């Protein structure tokens, strides 16, 4: 027993793309994605992320992309070095000795890094070219015939679907149809700083960061530097500031901006401050979150995934993984409707209830981690957390 189901997805982020990829590659079910950007290369996709076995990697396996993923995965990117304000190493996890073993065994603790750009391209290339309509900005979603919904676009056009999926991020245009929740400022500002060619131009900084991640944390300030697949270093400068705390900073003037943030980290050792000093771009990003227990009453014909459903801080490494997991789980729910005749409302509601419990736990964990890591004793909190799993503490340097 099969039925026809028209599916419209708002947003070509990792969650929406995963949904489309699993629908196409595992179930041969068609859908349409609407993306406000004009092309997949319109903007940078940010740094790298660690893909977890039980969520992100699971989703890629369902999409038939795991072998392709392994071509881009950086197992050595799992290395982590933790500092306070000085260059004394407080803790290190050295992943290098485990790389070959983990590639062969598929160890369930694997969380290799992959650049967001490479991951997104992989997903886009896995679906038919006409799946994504680029340059289609969603203005609103409104009820249509029966239990159907229409997506209305900024150009005045609209399309009606049996199921509309909000995969359109923090400020979702779909979410108001099921929830009145609005993202709230978390109290932490994140400034993305990039060093384009550290190996050649700043070898000491490159050596300090290594192949993975560096954390330097103290007194409600954190520097979190991350090696990307192309060799660049992205540093996330985290500070507790009021929501309007950076309005007076002219980010168009790089040197003035650097001076401002270097003063904020005035008591850090110079090698750490070089993560700011040597950057060629600084971009401010506020960390907004939805309530960790965010949920809604199921409505036939509409649902959410990813940040649209459970916007969380980046301090658990779960946001992208959960979005991809949502996409795979929702694809399973849709397949039960299309291929097995299950009721649409019932199947999607099961997906939602599972997501509320699982992603709510991760959202709460991410908020707890942010409050621990961007705190008076952030480094101590980080070391204490990882010592639960690691026995090796690096010698002082």
């Amino acid at each position: 027993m099969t039925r026809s189901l028209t599916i419209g997805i708002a947003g070509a982020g990792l969650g929406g793309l995963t949904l489309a990829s699993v629908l196409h590659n595992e179930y041969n079910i068609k859908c349409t994605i609407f993306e406000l950007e004009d092309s997949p290369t319109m903007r940078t996709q940010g740094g790298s992320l660690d893909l977890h076995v039980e969520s992100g990697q699971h989703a890629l396996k369902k999409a038939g992309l795991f072998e392709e993923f392994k071509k881009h995965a950086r197992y050595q990117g799992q290395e982590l070095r933790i500092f306070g304000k000085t260059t004394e190493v407080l803790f290190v996890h050295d992943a290098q000795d485990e790389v070959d073993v983990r590639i062969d065994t598929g160890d369930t603790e694997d969380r290799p890094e992959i650049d967001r750009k490479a991951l997104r391209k992989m997903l886009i290339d896995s679906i038919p070219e006409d799946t994504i309509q680029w340059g289609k900005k969603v203005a609103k979603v409104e009820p249509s015939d029966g239990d159907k919904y229409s997506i209305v676009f900024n150009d005045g056009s609209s399309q009606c679907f049996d199921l509309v999926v909000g995969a359109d991020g923090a400020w979702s245009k779909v979410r108001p149809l099921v929830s009145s929740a609005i993202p709230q400022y978390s109290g932490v500002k994140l400034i993305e700083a990039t060093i384009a060619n550290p190996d050649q131009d700043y070898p000491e900084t490159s050596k300090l960061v290594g192949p993975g991640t560096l954390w330097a944390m103290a007194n409600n300030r954190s520097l979190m530097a991350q090696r990307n697949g192309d060799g660049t270093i992205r540093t996330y400068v985290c500070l507790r500031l009021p929501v309007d705390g950076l309005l007076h900073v002219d980010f168009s003037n790089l040197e003035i901006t650097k001076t401002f943030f270097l003063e904020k980290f005035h008591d850090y050792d110079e090698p750490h401050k070089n993560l700011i000093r040597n950057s060629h771009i600084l971009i401010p990003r506020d960390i907004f979150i939805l309530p960790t227990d965010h949920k809604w009453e199921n409505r036939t014909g509409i649902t959410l995934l990813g940040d649209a459903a459970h916007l969380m801080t980046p301090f658990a490494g779960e946001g992208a993984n959960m979005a991809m997991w949502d996409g795979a789980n929702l694809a399973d729910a849709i397949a039960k409707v299309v291929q097995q005749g299950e009721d649409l409302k019932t199947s999607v509601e099961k997906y939602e209830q599972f997501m509320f419990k699982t992603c709510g736990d991760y959202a709460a964990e991410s908020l707890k981690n942010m409050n621990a890591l961007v705190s008076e004793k952030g480094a101590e909190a980080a070391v204490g957390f990882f010592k639960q799993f690691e026995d090796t503490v690096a010698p002082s340097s």
Side-chain angles (χ1 to χ4, degrees):
M1 178 178 181
T2 61
R3 64 166 287 190
S4 174
L5 191 72
T6 55
I7 305 161
I9 303 169
L14 296 179
L17 289 170
T18 300
L19 170 58
S21 185
V22 176
L23 284 174
H24 172 70
N25 291 296
E26 182 165 5
Y27 298 115
N28 194 30
I29 296 173
K30 294 182 179 180
C31 65
T32 304
I33 299 176
F34 302 100
E35 171 55 46
L36 64 87
E37 294 176 359
D38 291 330
S39 76
T41 58
M42 181 176 174
R43 64 175 178 86
T44 178
Q45 296 302 311
S48 69
L49 55 89
D50 55 322
L51 222 58
H52 303 174
V53 169
E54 69 281 4
S55 49
Q57 290 185 42
H58 167 76
L60 291 181
K61 288 176 181 177
K62 289 185 69 65
L65 294 172
F66 190 66
E67 292 304 313
E68 182 66 21
F69 160 72
K70 289 197 293 186
K71 296 177 184 178
H72 301 277
R74 292 180 287 107
Y75 288 78
Q76 66 273 22
Q78 297 173 98
E79 179 172 303
L80 171 66
R81 303 173 183 180
I82 299 176
F83 302 81
K85 293 185 291 186
T86 74
T87 52
E88 176 187 0
V89 183
L90 302 179
F91 179 89
V92 65
H93 168 62
D94 186 355
Q96 188 58 47
D97 293 339
E98 305 169 23
V99 171
D100 295 335
V101 173
R102 290 189 169 194
I103 290 175
D104 292 338
T105 65
D107 186 338
T108 57
E109 294 303 312
D110 278 349
R111 293 187 171 190
E113 295 285 329
I114 183 171
D115 284 10
R116 287 176 178 267
K117 180 180 179 181
L119 181 58
R120 189 175 189 233
K121 184 178 187 302
M122 186 192 315
L123 289 165
I124 291 172
D125 290 347
S126 74
I127 55 180
E129 188 174 349
D130 63 355
T131 300
I132 306 176
Q133 293 190 20
W134 298 97
K136 293 289 283 187
K137 184 176 182 179
V138 176
K140 61 180 179 178
V141 177
E142 56 189 19
S144 187
D145 298 331
D147 291 324
K148 295 185 179 183
Y149 285 86
S150 289
I151 301 177
V152 181
F153 304 98
N154 269 22
D155 61 8
S157 64
S158 65
Q159 291 188 47
C160 183
F161 295 92
D162 296 311
L163 177 64
V164 171
V165 181
D168 49 344
W171 306 103
S172 172
K173 298 292 187 179
V174 183
R175 186 170 56 235
L177 272 293
V178 296
S179 170
S180 61
I182 299 173
Q184 300 297 312
Y185 176 54
S186 69
V188 172
K189 300 280 187 182
L190 183 151
I191 297 84
E192 181 181 331
T194 304
I195 303 175
N197 193 9
D199 291 345
Q200 177 178 323
D201 297 338
Y202 306 105
E204 291 303 314
T205 298
S206 183
K207 182 180 178 181
L208 181 70
V209 174
T213 300
L214 171 155
W215 291 354
M217 302 173 288
N219 306 116
N220 289 305
R221 299 161 298 166
S222 295
L223 296 173
M224 297 180 168
Q226 174 191 73
R227 179 76 63 171
N228 290 173
D230 60 0
T232 63
I233 292 174
R234 289 179 189 264
T235 300
Y236 300 98
V237 182
C238 301
L239 296 165
R240 289 194 177 273
L241 292 170
V243 67
D244 59 353
L246 294 178
L247 289 181
H248 65 290
V249 180
D250 180 6
F251 279 87
S252 67
N253 188 315
L254 183 59
E255 293 309 312
I256 289 177
T257 304
K258 285 183 181 181
T259 298
F260 174 83
F261 287 107
L262 286 170
E263 176 57 30
K264 291 292 183 182
F265 289 84
H266 66 93
D267 53 344
Y268 273 56
D269 279 0
E270 291 302 316
H272 291 321
K273 288 194 286 187
N274 284 339
L275 291 165
I276 299 172
R277 186 178 288 117
N278 297 337
S279 294
H280 71 281
I281 186 170
L282 287 94
I283 303 171
R285 306 186 189 283
D286 293 349
I287 297 178
F288 278 83
I289 58 175
L290 283 168
T292 58
D293 60 351
H294 180 232
K295 59 186 65 175
W296 57 88
E297 185 176 345
N298 174 265
R299 296 181 66 174
T300 306
I302 195 161
T303 193
L304 307 173
L305 62 74
D307 285 350
H310 44 71
L311 179 66
M312 63 185 74
T313 85
F315 290 90
E318 294 291 355
N321 281 283
M322 288 296 99
M324 294 175 68
W325 201 32
D326 288 346
N329 291 338
L330 182 54
D332 291 344
I334 291 170
K336 290 177 181 177
V337 176
V338 174
Q339 298 178 351
Q340 300 176 27
E342 186 167 312
D343 176 67
L344 176 61
K345 176 179 175 63
T346 300
S347 193
V348 172
E349 187 170 18
K350 289 177 183 176
Y351 151 78
E352 291 174 342
Q353 291 299 320
F354 179 72
M355 175 179 60
F356 295 155
K357 174 61 172 70
T358 306
C359 295
D361 290 345
Y362 282 122
E365 177 189 349
S366 74
L367 182 59
K368 179 181 176 181
N369 289 350
M370 183 191 76
N371 289 330
L373 298 179
V374 189
S375 68
E376 284 296 320
K377 296 184 177 181
E380 291 89 336
V383 171
F385 176 80
F386 283 101
K387 275 188 175 179
Q388 299 176 73
F389 311 104
E390 299 282 354
D391 297 323
T392 304
V393 177
S396 299
S397 63

